[in-house]
Amino acid sequence: MSQHVVVIGAGIVGVSAAIWLRRAGAEVTLVDRAEPGRGTSHGNGGVLAAAGVAPVTGPGLLRKSPGMLRDPEFPLFLRWPYLPRLLPWLRRYMAHANDRDTRRISAGLVPIVSDSVAQHKALCADLGLEDWVRDSDYCFAYTNRAAFEAEAYTWALRREAGFEPEIIEGGAVREFDPAYGPQITCIARLADHGFIADPGGYVRALAKAFEGMGGTIRQAEVQDVAITDEEVTSVLTDQGPLPCDDVLLATGVWSKPLMRKLGINVPLESERGYHIVFKDAEGGPSRPTMMAAGKFVATPMAEGLRCAGIVEFGGLEAGASKAPLALLRRQAKAAFPHLTATEEIEWLGHRPAPSDSLPLIGQIGTSRVYTAFGHHHIGLTGGPKTGRLIAGLITGQTPNTDLTPYHPQRFDG
């Protein structure tokens, strides 16, 4: 009898894993409460950020954080009534803001993201979806050379991972791309990156291809998993049980309640992220650009220019805040003074942020319940690699990557 795997979560990680599991010969059911690609995978910045190897919790963050929260032009927001619930996670998160932990976390991120473009192309191979993955530069825009040099620590981590920037300064910035405003006088350009011009559409196209491979997609609310003799036997949904041999939990920040049902309390929070799509935009950048001062990425997409970023802590239940969107709008229009659009579309999503900034990838004990969630800022970038690794683990292949840093029970005790 063939191996039957239920994959919970139809974002980029879950869909990627489902495709690789089908390629390995497993029977696969992909289940989500929404249609594929409608959640967090829909709203990201679209960049395949192979150089995304530096966690937010760098040295000095604890000292700088109060000033960041007081600065109305800094892209960090907190819904203060949520602070008591946030504090236990926040203490653990900020404890990593030191050199030793930052380097350890960076070393854990490198295998997941550094070959992102190649992994996306491998995922799309033979599916007729190669055109979704676009090769491009990835640029970091600064007000001046001093602002670039102020991030020397982060750039050293990127260089150690093999990413050396080309520096473009002064008048050459406008020659490189006339969209940048006059306050941008320094660009750090990284070659050999890529982007997806419609992340949600991309995930839906992958899901359709998965069905064409013989996979099954079910839209249902997952309530629990059934364990017999310490091994999973079925996934319990609001539409009845789904019997299975193995389960993969890949549903982002919503994985936390299911992990709790399995007896594991994961220090995982929603890092609320925003985007604005400037529909049918003109006057935007020709390639993905991280605006360093505003900590947002501007990506030319099929629908228009998507500006995505902002960090807000406030949980899963509250609606969108006005201030983060207003700041994002101000910063986008300052960065690209000639930007025009027919419409502005706002969005709020939830990045799954573990307290140590590393995803949870592996098996829970010998339960045949596997995890692949917690990708923080690297979900789209690292989704195909994660899916490939966990599919191999589920189907008995020996991984060529050390999965110890991502063990789902590393927070026990």
Side-chain angles (χ1 to χ4, degrees):
M1 182 165 54
S2 64
Q3 180 181 15
H4 182 203
V5 185
V6 172
V7 177
I8 306 171
I12 183 60
V13 177
V15 172
S16 298
I19 288 172
W20 284 111
L21 284 163
R22 281 299 298 147
R23 284 174 172 160
E27 180 185 348
V28 185
T29 298
L30 182 64
V31 59
D32 199 309
R33 62 182 177 179
E35 295 178 4
R38 297 294 182 184
T40 305
S41 288
H42 162 78
N44 60 70
V47 184
L48 306 184
V53 299
V56 174
T57 50
L61 179 63
L62 185 60
R63 171 177 49 82
K64 298 174 185 175
S65 293
M68 292 174 178
L69 282 169
R70 289 194 298 267
D71 183 354
E73 296 302 308
F74 194 84
L76 174 62
F77 294 85
L78 172 64
R79 284 179 169 262
W80 291 101
Y82 190 73
L83 182 59
R85 293 177 60 183
L86 180 69
L87 272 175
W89 174 89
L90 188 60
R91 291 192 187 99
R92 299 180 73 159
Y93 183 69
M94 296 301 288
H96 296 97
N98 59 72
D99 179 68
R100 179 176 59 84
D101 282 321
T102 300
R103 292 184 181 279
R104 175 182 58 80
I105 294 166
S106 180
L109 293 173
V110 170
I112 303 298
V113 302
S114 59
D115 60 347
S116 175
V117 175
Q119 291 294 331
H120 276 267
K121 290 181 177 180
L123 178 66
C124 292
D126 304 324
L127 299 179
L129 303 178
E130 293 85 350
D131 290 345
W132 282 93
V133 184
R134 301 190 183 183
D135 295 299
S136 76
D137 299 332
Y138 184 24
C139 295
F140 292 73
Y142 297 90
T143 53
N144 51 43
R145 182 66 176 250
F148 164 72
E149 292 175 349
E151 294 188 352
Y153 182 89
T154 299
W155 279 104
L157 294 176
R158 293 178 182 135
R159 287 188 176 97
E160 289 171 15
F163 299 99
E164 181 68 39
E166 173 194 354
I167 305 302
I168 303 167
E169 295 185 86
V173 169
R174 244 63 59 194
E175 294 177 14
F176 178 66
D177 194 328
Y180 298 124
Q183 79 273 32
I184 303 300
T185 67
C186 181
I187 298 289
R189 170 185 171 268
L190 290 174
D192 302 322
H193 278 64
F195 71 102
I196 307 295
D198 177 4
Y202 174 55
V203 175
R204 289 189 289 277
L206 288 168
K208 185 175 180 180
F210 162 71
E211 285 187 297
M213 300 167 67
T216 301
I217 297 178
R218 295 279 299 273
Q219 192 168 339
E221 182 85 31
V222 173
Q223 299 170 330
D224 205 345
V225 295
I227 304 286
T228 302
D229 295 330
E230 300 185 354
E231 287 191 1
V232 67
T233 55
S234 66
V235 172
L236 308 180
T237 80
D238 61 353
Q239 297 180 28
L242 297 174
C244 59
D245 301 301
D246 302 271
V247 170
L248 174 59
L249 186 55
T251 187
V253 72
W254 291 274
S255 302
K256 183 173 181 175
L258 285 171
M259 290 289 282
R260 190 179 292 119
K261 288 177 180 292
L262 293 166
I264 300 174
N265 186 20
V266 179
L268 183 74
E269 264 294 335
S270 163
E271 188 185 283
R272 294 155 57 94
Y274 291 80
H275 85 217
I276 298 174
V277 173
F278 295 89
K279 194 171 180 180
D280 305 317
E282 295 184 6
S286 58
R287 49 182 65 77
T289 302
M290 171 61 72
M291 309 307 299
K295 306 299 182 188
F296 73 93
V297 66
T299 307
M301 292 200 173
E303 194 173 20
L305 180 68
R306 178 176 292 183
C307 294
I310 306 291
V311 171
E312 183 187 45
F313 293 109
L316 291 167
E317 298 173 5
S321 303
K322 293 181 179 179
L325 286 162
L327 175 61
L328 187 56
R329 184 174 285 106
R330 287 198 307 274
Q331 292 182 332
K333 293 185 175 180
F336 310 110
H338 305 297
L339 180 65
T340 62
T342 59
E343 184 183 354
E344 296 179 8
I345 303 168
E346 300 174 348
W347 180 86
L348 163 66
H350 300 276
R351 307 180 188 103
S355 61
D356 66 356
S357 302
L358 289 171
L360 288 79
I361 307 171
Q363 183 179 188
I364 299 173
T366 58
S367 65
R368 303 187 72 162
V369 177
Y370 296 80
T371 63
F373 66 88
H375 286 72
H376 208 184
H377 292 257
I378 60 164
L380 181 67
T381 299
K385 181 66 170 285
T386 299
R388 195 171 192 171
L389 287 169
I390 199 68
L393 197 65
I394 292 170
T395 55
Q397 302 171 35
T398 301
N400 58 6
T401 299
D402 180 11
L403 300 183
T404 304
Y406 324 112
H407 199 284
Q409 291 172 275
R410 64 183 183 270
F411 301 106
D412 286 1

